[in-house]
Amino acid sequence: MTSIASVTLEVADPAAADRFYSAAFGLGDRLRLRASEEPTSGFRGFTLSLVVSQPADVDALLDAAVQAGATTLKPAAKSLWGYGGVVQAPDGTIWQLASSSKKNTGPATRQVDEFVLLLGVEDVKASKQFYVEHGLAVGKSFGGKYVEFAAEGPVKLALYKRSGLAKVAGVSPDGTGSHRLAIGSDAGPFTDPDGFAWTTASESASV
């Protein structure tokens, strides 16, 4: 089964981004960085989600991110599905921080249970078929709205309609230019129907 080893963000200043992510989230080799000056504006068509066990952990990660320089897009709050908030890193990447639990069960930690890459695509069904043909197994599927693939590696992949993902993130769906993202996997290299680039895991350069 195809697995995703890492996500590489293309940023203007890798050293500054490394300082931010080390202070905010501490994700190790799952998150990599490399320099890029590719033009990009508006919504880049994806978000990264950190799933934790309780609301206190969401708050701890949000606080650490904001203190390190992130901008709050959606303050943490309860919802039908749990508790979460959204921030934008200084490099422009949007991060969702979430827990399916609405109650705390212990002291706050910054332990991340799941690291999820959500791609905003134009046609969820077509993209789902594309990824199945490239070796990914479907874990959950909700018609043309959302698909979650079974996770075998450090990073889980899900597909969302682009406009819906932008709404969840609290931003306009409009955007142009580079996604500023490379997905490191044993399935690469290829580019998907929405222009997201996959590379072999060994090609994803880090700081």
Side-chain angles (χ1 to χ4, degrees):
M1 186 186 297
T2 295
S3 63
I4 301 174
S6 64
V7 172
T8 298
L9 299 177
E10 298 175 342
V11 300
D13 187 338
D18 184 52
R19 288 193 296 271
F20 168 79
Y21 287 115
S22 295
F25 304 139
L27 295 168
D29 289 342
R30 290 178 288 183
L31 181 70
R32 301 184 178 194
L33 304 163
R34 67 184 179 199
S36 174
E37 297 294 340
E38 285 291 316
T40 186
S41 66
F43 183 46
R44 296 179 188 170
F46 74 94
T47 69
L48 292 167
S49 181
L50 303 181
V51 182
V52 295
S53 62
Q54 60 178 354
D57 301 340
V58 172
D59 291 335
L61 288 171
L62 277 169
D63 290 346
V66 171
Q67 288 177 15
T71 301
T72 301
L73 297 179
K74 282 189 175 182
K78 289 183 180 179
S79 67
L80 290 174
W81 50 264
Y83 182 85
V86 184
V87 297
Q88 188 166 31
D91 65 85
T93 304
I94 295 173
W95 292 81
Q96 298 183 57
L97 310 172
S99 173
S100 60
S101 174
K102 297 181 183 180
K103 293 184 179 180
N104 292 319
T105 56
T109 74
R110 288 168 58 189
Q111 179 177 335
V112 175
D113 297 331
E114 290 185 342
F115 182 24
V116 186
L117 168 62
L118 293 113
L119 300 182
V121 300
E122 292 302 325
D123 187 330
V124 172
K125 289 183 178 179
S127 292
K128 170 188 171 183
Q129 183 60 33
F130 175 87
Y131 279 116
V132 168
E133 291 172 358
H134 281 78
L136 279 79
V138 174
K140 298 177 184 177
S141 181
F142 299 93
K145 294 184 178 180
Y146 177 81
V147 176
E148 185 178 291
F149 294 96
E152 286 293 317
V155 184
K156 178 182 282 189
L157 177 69
L159 306 177
Y160 215 124
K161 195 156 182 66
R162 181 186 170 101
S163 57
L165 184 58
K167 185 176 181 180
V168 168
V171 298
S172 166
D174 298 331
T176 61
S178 173
H179 292 300
R180 293 272 188 109
L181 175 75
I183 303 161
S185 165
D186 52 9
F190 61 82
T191 300
D192 84 352
D194 293 271
F196 290 102
W198 287 59
T199 65
T200 55
S202 60
E203 289 180 2
S204 298
S206 186
V207 171

